[in-house]
mmCIF file of all heavy atoms in Angstrom:
data_model
loop_
_atom_site.group_PDB
_atom_site.id
_atom_site.type_symbol
_atom_site.label_atom_id
_atom_site.label_comp_id
_atom_site.label_asym_id
_atom_site.label_seq_id
_atom_site.Cartn_x
_atom_site.Cartn_y
_atom_site.Cartn_z
ATOM 1 N N LEU E 415 160.608 158.370 112.709
ATOM 2 C CA LEU E 415 161.556 158.844 111.723
ATOM 3 C C LEU E 415 162.756 159.540 112.323
ATOM 4 O O LEU E 415 162.632 160.298 113.386
ATOM 5 C CB LEU E 415 160.866 159.833 110.702
ATOM 6 C CG LEU E 415 161.713 160.590 109.715
ATOM 7 C CD1 LEU E 415 162.220 159.540 108.653
ATOM 8 C CD2 LEU E 415 161.039 161.687 109.095
ATOM 9 N N THR E 416 163.887 159.174 111.881
ATOM 10 C CA THR E 416 165.124 159.855 112.168
ATOM 11 C C THR E 416 165.474 160.833 111.042
ATOM 12 O O THR E 416 165.469 160.389 109.949
ATOM 13 C CB THR E 416 166.315 158.914 112.487
ATOM 14 O OG1 THR E 416 166.065 158.109 113.677
ATOM 15 C CG2 THR E 416 167.607 159.735 112.673
ATOM 16 N N TRP E 417 165.590 162.081 111.361
ATOM 17 C CA TRP E 417 165.890 163.046 110.348
ATOM 18 C C TRP E 417 166.861 164.077 110.800
ATOM 19 O O TRP E 417 167.050 164.319 111.931
ATOM 20 C CB TRP E 417 164.597 163.834 109.855
ATOM 21 C CG TRP E 417 163.870 164.735 110.820
ATOM 22 C CD1 TRP E 417 162.905 164.476 111.707
ATOM 23 C CD2 TRP E 417 164.233 166.178 110.996
ATOM 24 N NE1 TRP E 417 162.600 165.471 112.456
ATOM 25 C CE2 TRP E 417 163.341 166.531 112.010
ATOM 26 C CE3 TRP E 417 165.051 166.975 110.375
ATOM 27 C CZ2 TRP E 417 163.411 167.924 112.548
ATOM 28 C CZ3 TRP E 417 165.142 168.313 110.773
ATOM 29 C CH2 TRP E 417 164.301 168.763 111.834
ATOM 30 N N VAL E 418 167.538 164.652 109.782
ATOM 31 C CA VAL E 418 168.598 165.718 110.137
ATOM 32 C C VAL E 418 168.348 166.861 109.129
ATOM 33 O O VAL E 418 167.857 166.639 108.001
ATOM 34 C CB VAL E 418 170.041 165.101 109.932
ATOM 35 C CG1 VAL E 418 170.263 164.019 110.926
ATOM 36 C CG2 VAL E 418 170.168 164.615 108.491
ATOM 37 N N PRO E 419 168.720 168.084 109.630
ATOM 38 C CA PRO E 419 168.691 169.221 108.603
ATOM 39 C C PRO E 419 169.708 168.931 107.514
ATOM 40 O O PRO E 419 170.914 168.426 107.745
ATOM 41 C CB PRO E 419 169.082 170.398 109.446
ATOM 42 C CG PRO E 419 168.879 169.929 110.878
ATOM 43 C CD PRO E 419 169.165 168.489 110.892
ATOM 44 N N CYS E 420 169.370 169.241 106.268
ATOM 45 C CA CYS E 420 170.177 168.959 105.130
ATOM 46 C C CYS E 420 170.652 170.218 104.416
ATOM 47 O O CYS E 420 169.876 171.170 104.366
ATOM 48 C CB CYS E 420 169.584 167.882 104.164
ATOM 49 S SG CYS E 420 169.887 166.286 104.596
ATOM 50 N N GLY E 421 171.638 170.147 103.687
ATOM 51 C CA GLY E 421 172.222 171.295 102.864
ATOM 52 C C GLY E 421 173.306 171.911 103.566
ATOM 53 O O GLY E 421 174.379 171.336 103.741
ATOM 54 N N ASN E 422 173.103 173.163 104.036
ATOM 55 C CA ASN E 422 173.943 173.825 104.890
ATOM 56 C C ASN E 422 173.141 174.818 105.840
ATOM 57 O O ASN E 422 171.917 174.808 105.617
ATOM 58 C CB ASN E 422 175.014 174.593 104.138
ATOM 59 C CG ASN E 422 174.441 175.605 103.147
ATOM 60 O OD1 ASN E 422 173.646 176.445 103.496
ATOM 61 N ND2 ASN E 422 174.876 175.508 101.863
ATOM 62 N N ASN E 423 173.837 175.506 106.680
ATOM 63 C CA ASN E 423 173.039 176.316 107.672
ATOM 64 C C ASN E 423 172.221 177.383 107.074
ATOM 65 O O ASN E 423 171.351 178.001 107.563
ATOM 66 C CB ASN E 423 173.972 176.887 108.742
ATOM 67 C CG ASN E 423 174.500 175.764 109.674
ATOM 68 O OD1 ASN E 423 173.863 174.784 109.830
ATOM 69 N ND2 ASN E 423 175.665 176.048 110.209
ATOM 70 N N LEU E 424 172.616 177.774 105.737
ATOM 71 C CA LEU E 424 171.894 178.795 105.076
ATOM 72 C C LEU E 424 170.758 178.191 104.324
ATOM 73 O O LEU E 424 169.646 178.857 104.220
ATOM 74 C CB LEU E 424 172.886 179.572 104.166
ATOM 75 C CG LEU E 424 173.953 180.349 104.934
ATOM 76 C CD1 LEU E 424 174.851 181.078 103.847
ATOM 77 C CD2 LEU E 424 173.281 181.484 105.832
ATOM 78 N N SER E 425 170.897 177.061 103.677
ATOM 79 C CA SER E 425 169.900 176.535 102.808
ATOM 80 C C SER E 425 168.721 175.751 103.610
ATOM 81 O O SER E 425 167.704 175.636 103.099
ATOM 82 C CB SER E 425 170.449 175.499 101.743
ATOM 83 O OG SER E 425 171.054 174.450 102.438
ATOM 84 N N PHE E 426 169.163 175.286 104.856
ATOM 85 C CA PHE E 426 168.055 174.674 105.636
ATOM 86 C C PHE E 426 167.148 175.779 106.119
ATOM 87 O O PHE E 426 167.572 176.688 106.733
ATOM 88 C CB PHE E 426 168.648 174.005 106.787
ATOM 89 C CG PHE E 426 167.676 173.325 107.812
ATOM 90 C CD1 PHE E 426 166.848 172.362 107.469
ATOM 91 C CD2 PHE E 426 167.568 173.952 109.024
ATOM 92 C CE1 PHE E 426 165.794 171.835 108.359
ATOM 93 C CE2 PHE E 426 166.683 173.449 109.930
ATOM 94 C CZ PHE E 426 165.801 172.483 109.587
ATOM 95 N N ASP E 427 165.858 175.630 105.876
ATOM 96 C CA ASP E 427 164.896 176.703 106.103
ATOM 97 C C ASP E 427 163.955 176.197 107.240
ATOM 98 O O ASP E 427 163.278 175.218 107.101
ATOM 99 C CB ASP E 427 164.099 176.980 104.832
ATOM 100 C CG ASP E 427 163.110 178.218 105.014
ATOM 101 O OD1 ASP E 427 163.411 178.979 105.915
ATOM 102 O OD2 ASP E 427 162.113 178.270 104.294
#
Side-chain angles (χ1 to χ4, degrees):
L415 176 69
T416 294
W417 68 267
V418 297
C420 273
N422 55 54
N423 288 338
L424 296 177
S425 63
F426 172 70
D427 186 22

